[in-house]
Amino acid sequence: MDTIFDWLDKKHLKYNDKKLIEEAFIHSSYVNENKLYKHDNERLEFMGDAVLQLWSTRKLFSLEPALSEGQMTTLRAQLVCEEALAAYNRQLGLWHYLRLGVGEEKTGGRHRDSILADMFEAFLGAMYLDQGMDAVDVILEEVLTPAISRPKSEKVIDYKTKLQEYVQGDTRKNVHYETVHISGPSNKPEFEVIVLLDDIILGRGKGLSKKRAEQMAAKDAFEKMVK
């Protein structure tokens, strides 16, 4: 079986820190069952999320004819949502290199959008740290750039952005999100998140990933505030 490094070689992408690259594919369930591994891919996911936001924003900003701020916000939300990131992962075939615990594997984790989306972001984070934005360009130009011109679902709404814009219409303060509860089995946890302005709870949401729960909390808050 080939490895992620064979994949990178085929793409003519360089790499230096193999441990860093491998870490992008290590799910928390794998760490729990393999004590030789101390770190899962969550820290790299955090980095990759920031890299993806910057890359996609720069890409949309350079489009001609120029898009308005609202158009860029909506299109970016559609391009980097969980379902889209999982689709890019499948398109590139990266999911083959994902390392999961036995239980997670048996319950279909290798095909779960939330896990594949997180892994894709972690991979971007690892490549950015190891090789810089040029490597990220190669990967995202292949999958994200073509997606810009594809028809988008109107169902994709970035409630976090909508809520922040609504709040800043009255105040310059930022809302923030906190995970207040995690339930369910370790291989399929459900997150409960609240969104706050100062110490006031604006909304609550649940989801099978933190990002989904945050979106649901933002949706709850936004719909309450615009009534």
Side-chain angles (χ1 to χ4, degrees):
M1 180 179 177
D2 64 348
T3 67
I4 181 56
F5 303 109
D6 295 317
W7 187 93
L8 290 169
D9 289 339
K10 290 175 183 177
K11 297 288 184 182
H12 305 292
L13 287 167
K14 297 179 180 180
Y15 49 88
N16 293 317
D17 191 341
K18 283 191 171 184
K19 287 186 177 180
L20 181 69
I21 304 300
E22 288 177 336
E23 188 175 307
F25 297 86
I26 297 176
H27 188 256
S28 57
S29 62
Y30 191 83
V31 174
N32 292 338
E33 296 179 12
N34 296 269
K35 301 306 180 184
L36 291 177
Y37 293 87
K38 296 182 179 180
H39 304 290
D40 57 32
N41 62 7
E42 290 183 359
R43 279 167 47 84
L44 287 174
E45 176 204 339
F46 180 82
M47 173 62 73
D49 177 70
V51 171
L52 180 63
Q53 292 292 327
L54 175 60
W55 191 95
S56 57
T57 300
R58 184 185 66 183
K59 184 72 177 180
L60 295 177
F61 189 85
S62 66
L63 290 178
E64 294 290 347
L67 301 178
S68 68
E69 179 187 359
Q71 289 173 321
M72 288 192 292
T73 297
T74 299
L75 184 52
R76 184 179 62 184
Q78 294 171 330
L79 291 170
V80 303
C81 69
E82 186 175 277
E83 293 83 358
L85 298 183
Y88 304 150
N89 190 325
R90 295 185 182 100
Q91 181 180 339
L92 293 169
L94 294 168
W95 61 276
H96 291 291
Y97 311 114
L98 178 62
R99 297 185 184 183
L100 295 168
V102 175
E104 189 67 65
E105 188 77 68
K106 288 182 177 179
T107 56
R110 189 171 297 275
H111 305 288
R112 191 169 297 132
D113 280 0
S114 58
I115 292 178
L116 295 185
D118 290 348
M119 192 210 82
F120 184 71
E121 288 185 325
F123 178 55
L124 294 179
M127 291 304 297
Y128 173 76
L129 291 173
D130 192 62
Q131 294 293 321
M133 194 61 89
D134 287 345
V136 175
D137 277 334
V138 172
I139 297 164
L140 292 181
E141 284 289 355
E142 180 174 346
V143 290
L144 198 148
T145 297
I148 292 174
S149 60
R150 293 181 196 141
K152 307 295 185 300
S153 170
E154 294 299 325
K155 295 180 181 179
V156 180
I157 301 174
D158 183 1
Y159 280 103
K160 290 179 68 175
T161 298
K162 289 177 73 69
L163 176 63
Q164 186 62 58
E165 290 175 345
Y166 187 86
V167 169
Q168 289 192 332
D170 295 322
T171 174
R172 293 187 178 276
K173 295 180 180 179
N174 294 318
V175 299
H176 66 280
Y177 298 82
E178 291 183 10
T179 301
V180 294
H181 188 62
I182 302 175
S183 59
S186 60
N187 63 335
K188 195 176 181 181
E190 182 179 56
F191 298 88
E192 181 177 358
V193 168
I194 57 175
V195 55
L196 304 101
L197 180 62
D198 294 328
D199 294 323
I200 302 172
I201 297 176
L202 302 180
R204 292 177 178 269
K206 293 183 179 181
L208 296 180
S209 68
K210 289 182 181 179
K211 290 179 182 178
R212 181 61 178 168
E214 288 176 355
Q215 283 288 347
M216 296 307 294
K219 180 176 185 290
D220 180 47
F222 180 76
E223 290 179 345
K224 288 176 181 176
M225 295 179 76
V226 298
K227 282 185 178 180

